[in-house]
Amino acid sequence: MISYAQNAEDVVLDRLFHGRTTGRYVDVGASDPVADSVTKHFYDLGWRGINIEPIPAQVEALKNARPGDVTLAVALGAEKGTATLHHVLNRDGWSTLDGDLARSYHHESALDIVELQVEVRTLADVLDAHPGPVDFLKIDVEGEERSVIEGADWTKHRPRVVVVEATEPGSPTPAHESWDPLMVSAGYRCALFDGLNRFYAQEDDAEALDVLSVPANVFDKFTRAEVAEQRAARFAEIAYIRRLEDAVHEAQEAQAKDAACIEELRGTTRDAELQLAKANQRIAALEARLTELES
């Protein structure tokens, strides 16, 4: 398979779902429909789901690329309302509702941050409005994970798997202490920490807890999207060079045929010239004989 996700999360999930061509996901903090997307692989298989993304440009991209999905231009929190989104224009994946986290960005002089007012809904409200089973829920909200988890109704809506980004933005420092107990109290157990995310499965789902317990590895036989793109570009370049070689070969063959044709024409011309010369000689001899007879 081709993995589009930042840390091969889609590979681990696909191992559990066995390449199923139908299913449903909820992607909180969906961001780009392709780059670093945990759900791109599943959408291509035939899955459909809900994308939660408050940044307008990314909402537009998701709607254009995922017409089969529901894409909501909102943020999620512990309760409904509005909030300020600190949108980092030049650093993908750093935009946040967390004011303290946004203030910590200010020492980064290269960051270009604008503030947007966004609607906030709860996960429970979204799933009530779009009912149905959820195979996996992904949460990547740069510091607001606890608020999203608090806004869920875990008794009514129980995704089989929950994947939560569990480190501080741009850092390997763990950041799950404040919300991990909420997942445990909701009846979920952590099956895997892959260095970036924590994968949770329902505590009585032995298969999921077992299958999800190992990070993506060579035995999953996957190719990263950027590698696949490089290979495709290389194959396209090779095909283009071969087409050029074929065109040159055809031109050379045509040139050789033209040269042979020209040489044949030259030979025919030489023969015609010889025949003309002989004819002229005979005419001259006849004219001489006529003159002789007339005299």
Side-chain angles (χ1 to χ4, degrees):
M1 65 172 284
I2 295 175
S3 172
Y4 297 90
Q6 181 180 13
N7 206 38
E9 298 93 331
D10 49 0
V11 176
V12 178
L13 290 166
D14 188 73
R15 190 193 302 147
L16 175 63
F17 295 113
H18 309 296
R20 271 175 38 195
T21 56
T22 59
R24 189 165 183 252
Y25 49 76
V26 176
D27 193 344
V28 182
S31 192
D32 191 87
V34 178
D36 295 337
S37 174
V38 174
T39 56
K40 160 70 172 169
H41 165 73
F42 295 95
Y43 186 88
D44 289 348
L45 283 177
W47 288 45
R48 296 296 179 261
I50 303 171
N51 303 308
I52 308 295
E53 177 53 56
I55 297 174
Q58 293 179 330
V59 170
E60 190 67 20
L62 283 162
K63 287 182 176 180
N64 289 335
R66 307 274 190 91
D69 279 353
V70 172
T71 297
L72 303 177
V74 300
L76 295 190
E79 56 187 28
K80 299 178 183 179
T82 60
T84 299
L85 174 68
H86 307 274
H87 178 23
V88 183
L89 299 177
N90 55 343
R91 191 69 67 85
D92 290 341
W94 280 42
S95 299
T96 181
L97 297 179
D98 188 329
D100 292 336
L101 180 58
R103 281 186 286 276
S104 74
Y105 290 163
H106 285 294
H107 74 279
E108 293 258 3
S109 59
L111 294 182
D112 190 2
I113 303 174
V114 298
E115 294 185 349
L116 305 173
Q117 291 300 305
V118 298
E119 178 187 359
V120 178
R121 295 173 64 178
T122 66
L123 181 58
D125 171 56
V126 168
L127 294 181
D128 282 344
H130 302 277
V134 176
D135 290 291
F136 72 85
L137 163 68
K138 188 222 81 177
I139 304 173
D140 178 3
V141 289
E142 307 306 314
E144 288 295 304
E145 291 79 13
R146 181 183 175 91
S147 295
V148 174
I149 293 168
E150 286 179 333
D153 184 343
W154 297 104
T155 60
K156 185 186 296 185
H157 309 294
R158 296 191 62 75
R160 186 177 185 190
V161 179
V162 182
V163 183
V164 190
E165 187 171 272
T167 67
E168 295 178 0
S171 166
T173 303
H176 63 282
E177 294 87 353
S178 69
W179 48 261
D180 179 72
L182 298 178
M183 296 301 302
V184 173
S185 65
Y188 285 83
R189 281 177 47 197
C190 181
L192 170 69
F193 173 58
D194 67 359
L196 177 64
N197 310 277
R198 289 171 73 85
F199 288 70
Y200 290 86
Q202 297 178 29
E203 58 187 1
D204 59 353
D205 190 342
E207 179 193 16
L209 290 168
D210 177 56
V211 173
L212 298 175
S213 65
V214 180
N217 58 75
V218 65
F219 298 108
D220 289 306
K221 298 180 181 179
F222 70 96
T223 302
R224 293 195 176 276
E226 58 270 22
V227 174
E229 289 173 1
Q230 290 169 0
R231 287 178 180 171
R234 187 164 65 249
F235 291 150
E237 183 178 357
I238 291 171
Y240 175 67
I241 291 171
R242 286 178 176 169
R243 288 196 299 272
L244 286 178
E245 290 175 340
D246 290 342
V248 169
H249 181 66
E250 289 175 3
Q252 289 173 338
E253 287 185 338
Q255 185 179 32
K257 290 178 180 178
D258 289 344
C261 183
I262 290 171
E263 187 59 34
E264 183 179 350
L265 288 172
R266 284 175 178 169
T268 302
T269 301
R270 285 194 297 268
D271 290 343
E273 288 173 346
L274 288 173
Q275 294 298 324
L276 179 60
K278 291 179 180 179
N280 287 334
Q281 288 176 353
R282 287 195 296 272
I283 291 171
L286 288 171
E287 287 178 344
R289 180 60 178 163
L290 286 172
T291 300
E292 179 182 340
L293 292 171
E294 288 175 352
S295 61

